[in-house]
Amino acid sequence: MSNNSNKLHEVFADTLNIDRSRVTDSLTYNTIPEWDSVAHMALIAALENSFDIMLDTDDIVDMSSVAKAKEILSKYHVQL
Amino acid sequence: MLLANKVVLVTGATRGIGRATSRLCADQGAHVVLTGRSKDQLDGVQAEIATEVPSAVLSNLVMDVSSPESVRDAFQQLFKLTKRLDVLLSNAGVLDDALIGMVTPDQIKRVFEPNTYGVLFCAQYASRLMARTGGGSIINVASIIGVNGNMGQAVYAGSKAAVIGITKSLSKELAPQNIRVNAIAPGFINTDMARSIGPEKFAERVASIKMGRAGTPEEVAKVALFLASDLSSYVTGQVIGVDGGMLI
């Protein structure tokens, strides 16, 4: 796993306050109580800070899973 | 200096209240980012303010608040430029009056897009940037017409009443992130927009003001400065009238 991929998993685990083993590509928004809309905005802020980017609103709405987050971050030139 | 080291973004910065607020914030030490639809006008106003306030730190970005794509692009540029935002003055707006029987769908769109949608689009990006650095202040320019309504102004009044609802809702949603959200409701202010109604109507409006005169953009700017600065550190969700006792 690349450094950035590690960082992304860490951000998810820390922000959602879940064990890192639960952060897999298939983890999906609103399927666990820890990833609700409030947590989603906190997650966005944490990702933006960690990778020093600013996400478009469309991408915030589209970021429905860990896999999707990776896809979206790659648009911002984050190598995963 | 009330705004030293702060970044202030002003929409509709080339004229009237936007220009006056930009100048006052620059004078108070802020890095002011002027935005508007015309690059030429922005460059011109930036040069004027730089002459009036030699210490001013100014930038400008082309942004049409009616367009979500344009707002997105401008905020992306802002992020690259400053990495932060402390104050947003959402001021860009249009006035287009008609009696209700003559209002067209195009007119509704033309008014609501900048006056209302633009406030939402800008608040989306601004609040996220502000949250990253511990908070900020969003100031939305509503109108006395949005508070009280007026004959022939149902569309404009609706667009500005919506701004008040947006302000009150966002103040509750964003308070935990230390982002204050307030609105200013100017009365009759001597701007290009106000003068566009013609001299007869202008005189009629002035006659309805207890102080007997139109306000100046600078008088609105002073209230914006109060809301932008820490002088108002515990003020959020408020609509502050700046209307000289105007009756509608």
Side-chain angles (χ1 to χ4, degrees), chain B:
Chain B
M1 292 277 189
L2 289 171
L3 299 176
N5 303 316
K6 304 282 189 192
V7 176
V8 176
L9 185 141
V10 178
T11 73
T14 59
R15 294 191 298 178
I17 292 166
R19 190 198 183 287
T21 306
S22 298
R23 186 193 183 286
L24 187 57
C25 290
D27 190 50
Q28 287 297 317
H31 175 177
V32 180
V33 182
L34 312 163
T35 72
R37 287 177 296 178
S38 160
K39 179 68 178 159
D40 285 349
Q41 284 184 22
L42 286 167
D43 287 343
V45 169
Q46 181 172 333
E48 287 168 16
I49 296 176
T51 305
E52 293 161 9
V53 184
S55 62
V57 180
L58 302 161
S59 307
N60 73 65
L61 295 170
V62 172
M63 176 166 74
D64 175 359
V65 298
S66 302
S67 157
E69 293 79 18
S70 175
V71 173
R72 176 198 63 201
D73 292 347
F75 273 88
Q76 290 287 4
Q77 289 177 65
L78 176 72
F79 175 66
K80 283 182 193 155
L81 182 71
T82 64
K83 296 278 181 187
R84 64 180 294 134
L85 180 65
D86 301 286
V87 178
L88 166 69
L89 180 78
S90 262
N91 162 72
V94 299
L95 181 69
D96 192 352
D97 298 341
L99 295 176
I100 190 63
M102 298 167 73
V103 169
T104 65
D106 270 356
Q107 183 185 5
I108 296 171
K109 188 168 181 280
R110 206 160 54 237
V111 173
F112 269 78
E113 280 186 343
N115 292 12
T116 309
Y117 295 7
V119 167
L120 286 166
F121 297 150
C122 290
Q124 282 189 300
Y125 284 97
S127 61
R128 283 171 42 220
L129 263 183
M130 289 172 179
R132 291 168 76 157
T133 51
S137 172
I138 295 175
I139 306 156
N140 296 323
V141 177
S143 166
I144 192 172
I145 306 299
V147 178
N148 295 336
N150 197 29
M151 180 180 166
Q153 295 196 287
V155 179
Y156 182 74
S159 73
K160 291 297 190 179
V163 169
I164 292 170
I166 291 164
T167 299
K168 288 175 181 285
S169 295
L170 289 182
S171 71
K172 292 174 171 67
E173 184 173 327
L174 300 175
Q177 293 164 74
N178 198 32
I179 299 170
R180 299 181 295 104
V181 188
N182 294 287
I184 297 174
F188 196 55
I189 307 301
N190 194 352
T191 61
D192 291 345
M193 187 190 273
R195 287 188 293 273
S196 73
I197 66 174
E200 243 177 65
K201 278 193 177 171
F202 191 97
E204 260 176 44
R205 293 278 170 86
V206 169
S208 72
I209 301 168
K210 289 292 182 189
M211 289 183 74
R213 64 174 177 85
T216 66
E218 289 71 24
E219 287 172 315
V220 181
K222 288 176 196 168
V223 177
L225 174 62
F226 166 72
L227 292 172
S229 74
D230 287 343
L231 291 176
S232 59
S233 57
Y234 201 54
V235 179
T236 195
Q238 303 304 305
V239 182
I240 302 184
V242 186
D243 59 23
M246 187 179 192
L247 298 175
I248 290 186

Side-chain angles (χ1 to χ4, degrees), chain A residues 19-51:
Chain A
D19 192 89
R20 202 169 148 168
S21 62
R22 294 173 68 193
V23 182
T24 62
D25 281 359
S26 60
L27 181 63
T28 304
Y29 172 64
N30 254 343
T31 57
I32 58 171
E34 293 90 344
W35 192 358
D36 61 8
S37 60
V38 174
H40 190 68
M41 291 313 297
L43 182 60
I44 295 298
L47 288 169
E48 287 183 323
N49 276 332
S50 295
F51 294 103

Side-chain angles (χ1 to χ4, degrees), chain A residues 3-72:
Chain A
N3 280 348
N4 279 337
S5 200
N6 263 322
K7 199 199 279 190
L8 179 128
H9 282 240
E10 264 174 39
V11 168
F12 266 85
D14 291 349
T15 313
L16 302 181
N17 199 22
I18 59 177
D19 192 89
R20 202 169 148 168
S21 62
R22 294 173 68 193
V23 182
T24 62
D25 281 359
S26 60
L27 181 63
T28 304
Y29 172 64
N30 254 343
T31 57
I32 58 171
E34 293 90 344
W35 192 358
D36 61 8
S37 60
V38 174
H40 190 68
M41 291 313 297
L43 182 60
I44 295 298
L47 288 169
E48 287 183 323
N49 276 332
S50 295
F51 294 103
D52 197 27
I53 55 173
M54 185 167 188
L55 294 168
D56 295 349
T57 304
D58 287 347
D59 291 328
I60 293 173
V61 177
D62 284 349
M63 198 177 285
S64 53
S65 67
V66 173
K68 192 74 186 171
K70 290 177 179 174
E71 187 186 316
I72 288 168

